[in-house]
């Protein structure tokens, strides 16, 4: 899809639309206001129904004609036409917004971008707070010293902020990385591995005679921190080094394991970092320790471990090096400074006295010592010194100049020459001096020798002390492998190339400023400022990344002048491209009602051009729709105007363009002549305005009551009034009511008026059948009362027979007294005597039965013994007791036989070996 400015000049309509498209096209962008309430999704194309009234081919109604009718309808058209014009206005605006999204693209305004960025920053802030949770919880919430580390973590979250300086590409959260221990810069794992390998290879190929046999270090591309060859990264670890290949977690810092860092602080203090696994350096130690000041005079106080050293600001008081004064400076760290006072100090020889600093008491004057040496012939030639002068330097044995002969002479005599040849090695280190023993240096070597030049190509006879260099130029390539040596008479150790490299760096903006070298050039050290549109906000990025880096968010407000009828543009942030559409209310005075237009500003609306001709045939490509920027007319006024309905029921606010007589759609509600019902008509016009609660109807337009009487009947009367709806009281009811008696057996017929007017006792009499109550009491007897309401009374007066416990005495008593336990019949003395005699007879019978049972058992025993006497001899053998054998008797054969066999075998074995 092409842009709007390119679409405006296509096909046959190019010349015709030129006048309309005169450079006033507004940049595409989302429209405010009713777009949120549109039925189409964001960015969806407009439907055919919405676009049918804008451009449907030949003969379609133009937007200008529609807008003219809308404006004209505000003054002289009916409310129905005004509603139609308002509907058309809304449809046109929605269609324009959908068409702009479809053909001009979605270009969000700076305000929407700022809102999205603020949401993203809020998420990042939550993640950063989660990362620093452990740190702040264990340090009383003090996070003032976390800003440096927080900056590294914030850069890790921002897209494109972390850049690999080797390949000049962004470091993503799902890529394996390596972090430098010196500068904490991140590099891609493949990039740093190739860098370390190439660095070691280049150094060893130039300096190592036995190529590849020595271990050379490599350096970080940014800070030049030195690493050994064995420290070349081969695995991807998190920042703290605990987890290999840390998983990607959107709620953690990229490349972090989420565990506590626990690295030791630098400089070491014995504590470990409390932050979660994080990039960058660990912050200062936050632990609290109790420590005294530098001078140890103050009491120990709790302080942060990172700032545990402190001064009490009292005078130091320690003795200075002069051993005379004390340090007067405030409590300080380390050794005291030299004493600042001045005092008179003698020199080392003691001849002169001068005022000097107390910190430097030892000094020398410029006078020669001049003291007589022990030889008494010479004086000391040393400058001012302390202590004895020492022996005479000319005493003892001394050698001749050639050091071949030694003499013992007084210190007043000089050592003579020995007359032998000097024979000292000359400066050429090849020949010796041929002169006789002499004082002073030997002369230069003048012997002629055949010399070979440094490169070894030519030889020549010449004095020994003169060097020999030929004019041949070295054809070898220097270590850069790009330039020849070209040095005269080169011995083979060609120097490093001194020319500039000049190759284009990875940034494609600069050339390498280093000396010509092998391998890849170092990353570009320059930084470039990426600025916002106004130039007040900038961010520094590595050179080469300015083309792909998103400009920074600018907090300044846009200063472009307004392009609509408003004097001041709506405030929004600095941005690139055209300003977003104006969202302020129109506030123009409407001609029909003189109200201010509250709709959003519509001076710069993009309207689809409808004057494009139809293509002549299929061979001609139809021209794409173009958009022109024009001002829409103001929509109908919607200011609420208080208006009373036809029936005078309410005062409702209506839109200004819809003000007029209206019905509120409610019932009339005025009291009719019957004074019982109200008018059920819908709100209608009334010609007379009276109090609605009056006895007469308020208007002749109200309906006439045709319903029956609905007045409430007296309590208890179920019959309706036989008259039509009337005023006043209803006549008494004379209908007969059918009523059941209290016992629910008989049916009675009573006049309704009499039954309703009866009181409590009279009503019970009217409902009674005058017969005996058929209900049974709880005791089982029938109720003796006449038909009555409610439950029967429990006082039963009938007589019942009552017996004593032994059933001998019988008597008649009242039923209610027996049930209540008031009457009881006990046994007399005769009953008790009869009960005693009966118990004695029963005991005698039991005793006779027991004796009879004993006699019967004795007889059975004797009979059994008689039967057993005849069989006693036959069963005598069976009565003998069998003795069971012991365990030894059972198993002795099984134990003794193996033991005998074993003993015999052992004896045979000893006899055989003894022979």
């Amino acid at each position: 899809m092409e842009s709007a400015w390119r679409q405006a000049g296509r096909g046959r309509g190019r010349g015709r639309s030129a006048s309309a498209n005169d450079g006033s096209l507004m940049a595409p962008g989302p429209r405010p206001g009713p777009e949120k309430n549109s039925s189409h999704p964001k960015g969806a194309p407009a439907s055919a129904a919405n676009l049918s009234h804008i451009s449907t081919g030949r003969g379609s109604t133009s937007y200008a004609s529609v807008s003219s009718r809308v404006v004209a309808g505000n003054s002289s058209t009916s409310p129905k036409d005004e509603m139609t014009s308002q509907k058309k206005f809304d449809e046109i605006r929605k269609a324009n917004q959908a068409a702009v999204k479809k053909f001009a693209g979605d270009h969000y305004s700076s305000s929407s971008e700022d809102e999205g960025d603020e949401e993203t920053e809020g998420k990042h802030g939550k993640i950063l707070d989660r990362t620093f949770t452990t740190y702040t919880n264990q340090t009383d919430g003090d996070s003032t010293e976390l800003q440096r580390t927080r900056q590294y973590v914030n850069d890790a979250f921002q897209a494109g902020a972390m850049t690999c300086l080797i390949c000049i590409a962004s470091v993503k959260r799902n890529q394996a990385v390596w972090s430098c221990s010196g500068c904490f810069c991140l590099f891609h794992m493949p990039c740093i591995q190739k860098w370390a390998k190439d660095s070691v290879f280049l150094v060893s190929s130039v300096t190592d005679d036995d190529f590849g046999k020595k271990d050379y270090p490599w350096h970080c591309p940014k800070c030049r921190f030195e690493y050994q060859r064995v420290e070349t990264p081969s695995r991807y670890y998190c920042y703290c080094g605990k987890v290999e290949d840390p998983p990607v977690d959107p709620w953690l810092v990229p490349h972090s394991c989420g565990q506590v860092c626990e690295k030791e602080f630098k400089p070491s203090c014995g504590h470990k970092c409390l932050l979660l696994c994080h990039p960058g350096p660990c912050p200062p130690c936050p632990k609290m320790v109790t420590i005294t000041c530098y001078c140890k005079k103050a009491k120990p106080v709790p302080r942060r471990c990172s700032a545990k050293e402190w001064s009490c600001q009292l005078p130091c008081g320690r003795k200075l090096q002069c051993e005379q004064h004390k340090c007067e400076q405030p409590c300080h760290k380390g050794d005291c400074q030299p004493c600042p006072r001045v005092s008179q100090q003698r020199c080392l020889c003691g001849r002169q006295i001068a005022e000097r600093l107390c910190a430097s008491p030892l000094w020398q004057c410029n006078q020669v010592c001049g003291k007589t040496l022990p030889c008494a012939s010479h004086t000391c030639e040393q400058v001012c010194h302390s202590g004895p002068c020492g022996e005479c330097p000319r005493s003892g044995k001394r050698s001749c100049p050639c050091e071949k002969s030694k003499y013992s002479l007084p210190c007043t005599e000089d050592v003579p020459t020995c007359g032998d040849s000097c024979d000292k090695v000359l400066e050429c280190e090849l020949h010796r001096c041929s002169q006789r023993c002499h004082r002073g240096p030997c002369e230069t070597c003048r012997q002629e020798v055949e010399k070979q030049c440094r490169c070894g190509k030519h030889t020549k006879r010449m004095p020994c002390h003169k060097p020999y260099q030929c004019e041949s130029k070295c054809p070898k390539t220097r270590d850069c492998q790009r330039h020849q040596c070209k040095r005269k008479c080169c011995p083979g150790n060609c120097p490093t190339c001194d020319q500039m490299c000049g190759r284009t760096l990875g940034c494609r903006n600069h050339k390498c400023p280093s000396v010509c070298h092998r391998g890849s050039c170092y990353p570009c050290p320059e930084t470039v400022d990426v600025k916002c549109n106004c130039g007040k906000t900038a961010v520094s990025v590595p050179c080469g990344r300015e083309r792909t880096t998103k400009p920074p968010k600018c907090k300044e407000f846009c200063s472009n002048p307004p392009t609509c009828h408003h004097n001041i543009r709506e405030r929004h942030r600095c941005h690139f491209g055209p300003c977003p559409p104006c969202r302020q209310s129109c506030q123009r005075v409407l001609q029909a009602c003189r109200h201010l237009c509250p709709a959003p500003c519509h001076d710069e609306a993009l309207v689809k051009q409808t004057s494009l001709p139809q293509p002549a045939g299929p061979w001609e490509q139809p021209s794409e729709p173009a958009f022109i920027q024009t001002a829409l007319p103001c929509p109908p006024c919607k200011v609420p105007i208080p208006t009373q309905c036809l029936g005078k029921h309410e005062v409702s606010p209506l839109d200004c363009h819809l003000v007029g007589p209206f019905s509120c759609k409610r019932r009339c509600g005025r009291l009719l002549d019957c004074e019982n019902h109200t008018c059920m008509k819908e709100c209608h016009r009334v010609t007379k305005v009276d109090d609605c609660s009056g006895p007469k109807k308020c208007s002749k337009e109200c309906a006439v009551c045709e319903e029956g009487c609905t007045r409430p009947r007296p309590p208890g009367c179920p019959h309706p009034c036989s008259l039509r709806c009337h005023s006043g009281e209803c006549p008494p009811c004379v209908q007969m009511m059918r009523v059941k008696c209290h016992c629910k057996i008989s049916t009675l017929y009573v006049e309704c008026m009499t039954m309703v007017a009866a009181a409590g006792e009279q009503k019970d009499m009217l409902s009674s059948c005058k017969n005996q109550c058929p209900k049974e009491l709880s005791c089982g007897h029938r109720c003796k009362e006449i038909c009555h309401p409610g439950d029967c009374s429990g006082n039963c007066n009938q007589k019942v027979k009552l017996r004593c416990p032994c059933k001998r005495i019988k008597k008649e008593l009242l039923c209610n007294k027996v049930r209540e336990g008031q009457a009881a019949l006990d046994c007399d003395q005769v009953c008790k005597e009869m009960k005693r005699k009966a118990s004695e007879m029963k005991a005698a019978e039991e005793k006779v039965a027991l004796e009879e049972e004993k006699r019967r058992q004795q007889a059975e025993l004797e009979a059994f013994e008689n039967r057993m006497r005849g069989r006693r001899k036959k069963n005598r053998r069976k009565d003998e007791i069998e003795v069971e054998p012991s365990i030894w008797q059972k198993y002795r054969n099984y134990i003794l036989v193996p033991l005998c066999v074993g003993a015999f075998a052992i004896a045979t074995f000893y006899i055989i070996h003894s022979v």
Side-chain angles (χ1 to χ4, degrees), residues 163-167 171 176-180 183-192 220-223 523:
T163 305
C164 177
L165 297 181
I166 300 177
C167 62
V171 178
V177 296
W178 174 83
S179 177
C180 176
C183 60
F184 306 100
C185 184
L186 286 182
F187 302 93
H188 292 125
M189 183 65 71
C191 295
I192 195 64
C220 171
K222 183 178 180 181
C223 65

PDB file of all heavy atoms in Angstrom, residues 163-167 171 176-180 183-192 220-223 523:
ATOM      1  N   THR A 163      24.810  -2.901  23.237  1.00  0.00           N
ATOM      2  CA  THR A 163      25.358  -3.110  21.904  1.00  0.00           C
ATOM      3  C   THR A 163      26.663  -3.880  22.003  1.00  0.00           C
ATOM      4  O   THR A 163      27.515  -3.572  22.839  1.00  0.00           O
ATOM      5  CB  THR A 163      25.600  -1.760  21.198  1.00  0.00           C
ATOM      6  OG1 THR A 163      24.389  -1.021  21.182  1.00  0.00           O
ATOM      7  CG2 THR A 163      26.091  -1.983  19.786  1.00  0.00           C
ATOM      8  N   CYS A 164      26.824  -4.884  21.170  1.00  0.00           N
ATOM      9  CA  CYS A 164      28.099  -5.601  21.064  1.00  0.00           C
ATOM     10  C   CYS A 164      29.051  -4.742  20.243  1.00  0.00           C
ATOM     11  O   CYS A 164      28.787  -4.460  19.066  1.00  0.00           O
ATOM     12  CB  CYS A 164      27.880  -6.970  20.424  1.00  0.00           C
ATOM     13  SG  CYS A 164      29.401  -7.902  20.184  1.00  0.00           S
ATOM     14  N   LEU A 165      30.170  -4.305  20.845  1.00  0.00           N
ATOM     15  CA  LEU A 165      31.098  -3.399  20.151  1.00  0.00           C
ATOM     16  C   LEU A 165      31.899  -4.104  19.078  1.00  0.00           C
ATOM     17  O   LEU A 165      32.611  -3.434  18.320  1.00  0.00           O
ATOM     18  CB  LEU A 165      32.048  -2.769  21.179  1.00  0.00           C
ATOM     19  CG  LEU A 165      31.394  -1.880  22.238  1.00  0.00           C
ATOM     20  CD1 LEU A 165      32.444  -1.306  23.162  1.00  0.00           C
ATOM     21  CD2 LEU A 165      30.598  -0.769  21.587  1.00  0.00           C
ATOM     22  N   ILE A 166      31.834  -5.415  18.989  1.00  0.00           N
ATOM     23  CA  ILE A 166      32.599  -6.138  17.966  1.00  0.00           C
ATOM     24  C   ILE A 166      31.827  -6.184  16.656  1.00  0.00           C
ATOM     25  O   ILE A 166      32.364  -5.877  15.588  1.00  0.00           O
ATOM     26  CB  ILE A 166      32.941  -7.554  18.462  1.00  0.00           C
ATOM     27  CG1 ILE A 166      33.787  -7.461  19.732  1.00  0.00           C
ATOM     28  CG2 ILE A 166      33.668  -8.349  17.392  1.00  0.00           C
ATOM     29  CD1 ILE A 166      34.110  -8.792  20.351  1.00  0.00           C
ATOM     30  N   CYS A 167      30.535  -6.569  16.747  1.00  0.00           N
ATOM     31  CA  CYS A 167      29.728  -6.656  15.523  1.00  0.00           C
ATOM     32  C   CYS A 167      28.789  -5.467  15.358  1.00  0.00           C
ATOM     33  O   CYS A 167      28.058  -5.403  14.360  1.00  0.00           O
ATOM     34  CB  CYS A 167      28.915  -7.953  15.530  1.00  0.00           C
ATOM     35  SG  CYS A 167      27.723  -8.080  16.897  1.00  0.00           S
ATOM     36  N   VAL A 171      22.238  -6.471  21.530  1.00  0.00           N
ATOM     37  CA  VAL A 171      22.307  -7.701  22.322  1.00  0.00           C
ATOM     38  C   VAL A 171      20.890  -8.017  22.786  1.00  0.00           C
ATOM     39  O   VAL A 171      20.291  -7.254  23.532  1.00  0.00           O
ATOM     40  CB  VAL A 171      23.246  -7.534  23.539  1.00  0.00           C
ATOM     41  CG1 VAL A 171      23.254  -8.800  24.375  1.00  0.00           C
ATOM     42  CG2 VAL A 171      24.650  -7.205  23.069  1.00  0.00           C
ATOM     43  N   ALA A 176      23.321 -15.800  23.675  1.00  0.00           N
ATOM     44  CA  ALA A 176      24.393 -16.090  24.627  1.00  0.00           C
ATOM     45  C   ALA A 176      25.374 -14.924  24.635  1.00  0.00           C
ATOM     46  O   ALA A 176      25.810 -14.451  23.579  1.00  0.00           O
ATOM     47  CB  ALA A 176      25.099 -17.382  24.237  1.00  0.00           C
ATOM     48  N   VAL A 177      25.760 -14.448  25.820  1.00  0.00           N
ATOM     49  CA  VAL A 177      26.610 -13.269  25.947  1.00  0.00           C
ATOM     50  C   VAL A 177      27.733 -13.572  26.933  1.00  0.00           C
ATOM     51  O   VAL A 177      27.723 -14.575  27.652  1.00  0.00           O
ATOM     52  CB  VAL A 177      25.798 -12.042  26.423  1.00  0.00           C
ATOM     53  CG1 VAL A 177      24.755 -11.651  25.406  1.00  0.00           C
ATOM     54  CG2 VAL A 177      25.134 -12.321  27.766  1.00  0.00           C
ATOM     55  N   TRP A 178      28.709 -12.659  26.946  1.00  0.00           N
ATOM     56  CA  TRP A 178      29.824 -12.700  27.888  1.00  0.00           C
ATOM     57  C   TRP A 178      30.046 -11.295  28.396  1.00  0.00           C
ATOM     58  O   TRP A 178      30.020 -10.324  27.626  1.00  0.00           O
ATOM     59  CB  TRP A 178      31.081 -13.238  27.204  1.00  0.00           C
ATOM     60  CG  TRP A 178      32.307 -13.183  28.077  1.00  0.00           C
ATOM     61  CD1 TRP A 178      32.691 -14.062  29.019  1.00  0.00           C
ATOM     62  CD2 TRP A 178      33.332 -12.165  28.047  1.00  0.00           C
ATOM     63  NE1 TRP A 178      33.856 -13.681  29.586  1.00  0.00           N
ATOM     64  CE2 TRP A 178      34.294 -12.512  29.015  1.00  0.00           C
ATOM     65  CE3 TRP A 178      33.525 -11.000  27.304  1.00  0.00           C
ATOM     66  CZ2 TRP A 178      35.422 -11.742  29.255  1.00  0.00           C
ATOM     67  CZ3 TRP A 178      34.649 -10.231  27.542  1.00  0.00           C
ATOM     68  CH2 TRP A 178      35.593 -10.616  28.510  1.00  0.00           C
ATOM     69  N   SER A 179      30.274 -11.135  29.706  1.00  0.00           N
ATOM     70  CA  SER A 179      30.441  -9.828  30.336  1.00  0.00           C
ATOM     71  C   SER A 179      31.889  -9.671  30.787  1.00  0.00           C
ATOM     72  O   SER A 179      32.451 -10.575  31.416  1.00  0.00           O
ATOM     73  CB  SER A 179      29.499  -9.673  31.530  1.00  0.00           C
ATOM     74  OG  SER A 179      29.703  -8.438  32.174  1.00  0.00           O
ATOM     75  N   CYS A 180      32.491  -8.537  30.471  1.00  0.00           N
ATOM     76  CA  CYS A 180      33.870  -8.262  30.853  1.00  0.00           C
ATOM     77  C   CYS A 180      33.925  -7.983  32.355  1.00  0.00           C
ATOM     78  O   CYS A 180      33.051  -7.320  32.927  1.00  0.00           O
ATOM     79  CB  CYS A 180      34.406  -7.067  30.061  1.00  0.00           C
ATOM     80  SG  CYS A 180      36.072  -6.550  30.541  1.00  0.00           S
ATOM     81  N   CYS A 183      35.132  -3.715  32.587  1.00  0.00           N
ATOM     82  CA  CYS A 183      34.209  -2.634  32.219  1.00  0.00           C
ATOM     83  C   CYS A 183      32.762  -3.093  32.215  1.00  0.00           C
ATOM     84  O   CYS A 183      31.865  -2.280  31.977  1.00  0.00           O
ATOM     85  CB  CYS A 183      34.566  -2.072  30.845  1.00  0.00           C
ATOM     86  SG  CYS A 183      34.486  -3.291  29.517  1.00  0.00           S
ATOM     87  N   PHE A 184      32.471  -4.400  32.427  1.00  0.00           N
ATOM     88  CA  PHE A 184      31.130  -4.968  32.485  1.00  0.00           C
ATOM     89  C   PHE A 184      30.364  -4.767  31.186  1.00  0.00           C
ATOM     90  O   PHE A 184      29.144  -4.708  31.174  1.00  0.00           O
ATOM     91  CB  PHE A 184      30.333  -4.378  33.649  1.00  0.00           C
ATOM     92  CG  PHE A 184      31.023  -4.487  34.966  1.00  0.00           C
ATOM     93  CD1 PHE A 184      31.708  -3.412  35.509  1.00  0.00           C
ATOM     94  CD2 PHE A 184      31.033  -5.688  35.657  1.00  0.00           C
ATOM     95  CE1 PHE A 184      32.365  -3.523  36.721  1.00  0.00           C
ATOM     96  CE2 PHE A 184      31.674  -5.801  36.865  1.00  0.00           C
ATOM     97  CZ  PHE A 184      32.349  -4.720  37.399  1.00  0.00           C
ATOM     98  N   CYS A 185      31.082  -4.664  30.082  1.00  0.00           N
ATOM     99  CA  CYS A 185      30.440  -4.522  28.781  1.00  0.00           C
ATOM    100  C   CYS A 185      30.047  -5.906  28.270  1.00  0.00           C
ATOM    101  O   CYS A 185      30.759  -6.888  28.474  1.00  0.00           O
ATOM    102  CB  CYS A 185      31.375  -3.826  27.796  1.00  0.00           C
ATOM    103  SG  CYS A 185      30.630  -3.491  26.187  1.00  0.00           S
ATOM    104  N   LEU A 186      28.877  -5.991  27.591  1.00  0.00           N
ATOM    105  CA  LEU A 186      28.375  -7.264  27.081  1.00  0.00           C
ATOM    106  C   LEU A 186      28.793  -7.459  25.631  1.00  0.00           C
ATOM    107  O   LEU A 186      28.765  -6.513  24.828  1.00  0.00           O
ATOM    108  CB  LEU A 186      26.852  -7.321  27.184  1.00  0.00           C
ATOM    109  CG  LEU A 186      26.250  -7.529  28.571  1.00  0.00           C
ATOM    110  CD1 LEU A 186      24.743  -7.608  28.469  1.00  0.00           C
ATOM    111  CD2 LEU A 186      26.796  -8.786  29.210  1.00  0.00           C
ATOM    112  N   PHE A 187      29.167  -8.686  25.293  1.00  0.00           N
ATOM    113  CA  PHE A 187      29.519  -9.069  23.940  1.00  0.00           C
ATOM    114  C   PHE A 187      28.820 -10.376  23.613  1.00  0.00           C
ATOM    115  O   PHE A 187      28.549 -11.195  24.503  1.00  0.00           O
ATOM    116  CB  PHE A 187      31.034  -9.259  23.782  1.00  0.00           C
ATOM    117  CG  PHE A 187      31.849  -8.047  24.125  1.00  0.00           C
ATOM    118  CD1 PHE A 187      32.362  -7.856  25.398  1.00  0.00           C
ATOM    119  CD2 PHE A 187      32.101  -7.071  23.173  1.00  0.00           C
ATOM    120  CE1 PHE A 187      33.098  -6.746  25.721  1.00  0.00           C
ATOM    121  CE2 PHE A 187      32.852  -5.947  23.482  1.00  0.00           C
ATOM    122  CZ  PHE A 187      33.352  -5.778  24.747  1.00  0.00           C
ATOM    123  N   HIS A 188      28.533 -10.565  22.338  1.00  0.00           N
ATOM    124  CA  HIS A 188      28.010 -11.859  21.904  1.00  0.00           C
ATOM    125  C   HIS A 188      29.074 -12.928  22.135  1.00  0.00           C
ATOM    126  O   HIS A 188      30.258 -12.689  21.939  1.00  0.00           O
ATOM    127  CB  HIS A 188      27.622 -11.818  20.428  1.00  0.00           C
ATOM    128  CG  HIS A 188      26.448 -10.940  20.166  1.00  0.00           C
ATOM    129  ND1 HIS A 188      26.475  -9.900  19.260  1.00  0.00           N
ATOM    130  CD2 HIS A 188      25.201 -10.926  20.700  1.00  0.00           C
ATOM    131  CE1 HIS A 188      25.315  -9.296  19.222  1.00  0.00           C
ATOM    132  NE2 HIS A 188      24.506  -9.899  20.104  1.00  0.00           N
ATOM    133  N   MET A 189      28.647 -14.122  22.536  1.00  0.00           N
ATOM    134  CA  MET A 189      29.582 -15.200  22.806  1.00  0.00           C
ATOM    135  C   MET A 189      30.421 -15.567  21.573  1.00  0.00           C
ATOM    136  O   MET A 189      31.647 -15.689  21.675  1.00  0.00           O
ATOM    137  CB  MET A 189      28.818 -16.413  23.339  1.00  0.00           C
ATOM    138  CG  MET A 189      29.694 -17.580  23.734  1.00  0.00           C
ATOM    139  SD  MET A 189      30.781 -17.204  25.137  1.00  0.00           S
ATOM    140  CE  MET A 189      29.596 -17.135  26.448  1.00  0.00           C
ATOM    141  N   PRO A 190      29.838 -15.739  20.382  1.00  0.00           N
ATOM    142  CA  PRO A 190      30.687 -16.028  19.210  1.00  0.00           C
ATOM    143  C   PRO A 190      31.657 -14.895  18.885  1.00  0.00           C
ATOM    144  O   PRO A 190      32.788 -15.139  18.472  1.00  0.00           O
ATOM    145  CB  PRO A 190      29.676 -16.251  18.090  1.00  0.00           C
ATOM    146  CG  PRO A 190      28.399 -16.598  18.770  1.00  0.00           C
ATOM    147  CD  PRO A 190      28.404 -15.828  20.047  1.00  0.00           C
ATOM    148  N   CYS A 191      31.216 -13.644  19.107  1.00  0.00           N
ATOM    149  CA  CYS A 191      32.086 -12.507  18.782  1.00  0.00           C
ATOM    150  C   CYS A 191      33.303 -12.473  19.700  1.00  0.00           C
ATOM    151  O   CYS A 191      34.444 -12.305  19.220  1.00  0.00           O
ATOM    152  CB  CYS A 191      31.297 -11.197  18.904  1.00  0.00           C
ATOM    153  SG  CYS A 191      29.945 -11.029  17.721  1.00  0.00           S
ATOM    154  N   ILE A 192      33.126 -12.634  21.008  1.00  0.00           N
ATOM    155  CA  ILE A 192      34.261 -12.551  21.926  1.00  0.00           C
ATOM    156  C   ILE A 192      35.175 -13.756  21.769  1.00  0.00           C
ATOM    157  O   ILE A 192      36.401 -13.660  21.938  1.00  0.00           O
ATOM    158  CB  ILE A 192      33.757 -12.389  23.382  1.00  0.00           C
ATOM    159  CG1 ILE A 192      34.894 -11.925  24.293  1.00  0.00           C
ATOM    160  CG2 ILE A 192      33.137 -13.663  23.875  1.00  0.00           C
ATOM    161  CD1 ILE A 192      35.439 -10.566  23.952  1.00  0.00           C
ATOM    162  N   CYS A 220      40.316  -7.174  26.496  1.00  0.00           N
ATOM    163  CA  CYS A 220      38.932  -6.779  26.240  1.00  0.00           C
ATOM    164  C   CYS A 220      38.914  -5.713  25.139  1.00  0.00           C
ATOM    165  O   CYS A 220      39.748  -4.788  25.145  1.00  0.00           O
ATOM    166  CB  CYS A 220      38.293  -6.234  27.522  1.00  0.00           C
ATOM    167  SG  CYS A 220      36.666  -5.470  27.286  1.00  0.00           S
ATOM    168  N   PRO A 221      38.006  -5.782  24.177  1.00  0.00           N
ATOM    169  CA  PRO A 221      37.984  -4.781  23.102  1.00  0.00           C
ATOM    170  C   PRO A 221      37.720  -3.359  23.585  1.00  0.00           C
ATOM    171  O   PRO A 221      38.090  -2.413  22.905  1.00  0.00           O
ATOM    172  CB  PRO A 221      36.846  -5.271  22.196  1.00  0.00           C
ATOM    173  CG  PRO A 221      36.668  -6.710  22.529  1.00  0.00           C
ATOM    174  CD  PRO A 221      37.027  -6.841  23.966  1.00  0.00           C
ATOM    175  N   LYS A 222      37.098  -3.200  24.761  1.00  0.00           N
ATOM    176  CA  LYS A 222      36.745  -1.857  25.204  1.00  0.00           C
ATOM    177  C   LYS A 222      37.734  -1.295  26.219  1.00  0.00           C
ATOM    178  O   LYS A 222      38.275  -0.205  26.022  1.00  0.00           O
ATOM    179  CB  LYS A 222      35.337  -1.878  25.804  1.00  0.00           C
ATOM    180  CG  LYS A 222      34.850  -0.498  26.242  1.00  0.00           C
ATOM    181  CD  LYS A 222      33.438  -0.554  26.791  1.00  0.00           C
ATOM    182  CE  LYS A 222      32.964   0.837  27.214  1.00  0.00           C
ATOM    183  NZ  LYS A 222      31.606   0.809  27.764  1.00  0.00           N
ATOM    184  N   CYS A 223      37.966  -2.028  27.321  1.00  0.00           N
ATOM    185  CA  CYS A 223      38.781  -1.479  28.411  1.00  0.00           C
ATOM    186  C   CYS A 223      40.206  -2.018  28.421  1.00  0.00           C
ATOM    187  O   CYS A 223      40.981  -1.648  29.306  1.00  0.00           O
ATOM    188  CB  CYS A 223      38.108  -1.773  29.757  1.00  0.00           C
ATOM    189  SG  CYS A 223      38.025  -3.536  30.171  1.00  0.00           S
ATOM    190  N   PRO A 523      37.046  -1.731  17.745  1.00  0.00           N
ATOM    191  CA  PRO A 523      35.803  -0.993  17.503  1.00  0.00           C
ATOM    192  C   PRO A 523      36.034   0.514  17.537  1.00  0.00           C
ATOM    193  O   PRO A 523      36.955   1.018  18.169  1.00  0.00           O
ATOM    194  CB  PRO A 523      34.895  -1.449  18.654  1.00  0.00           C
ATOM    195  CG  PRO A 523      35.462  -2.745  19.105  1.00  0.00           C
ATOM    196  CD  PRO A 523      36.938  -2.654  18.876  1.00  0.00           C
TER     197      PRO A 523
END
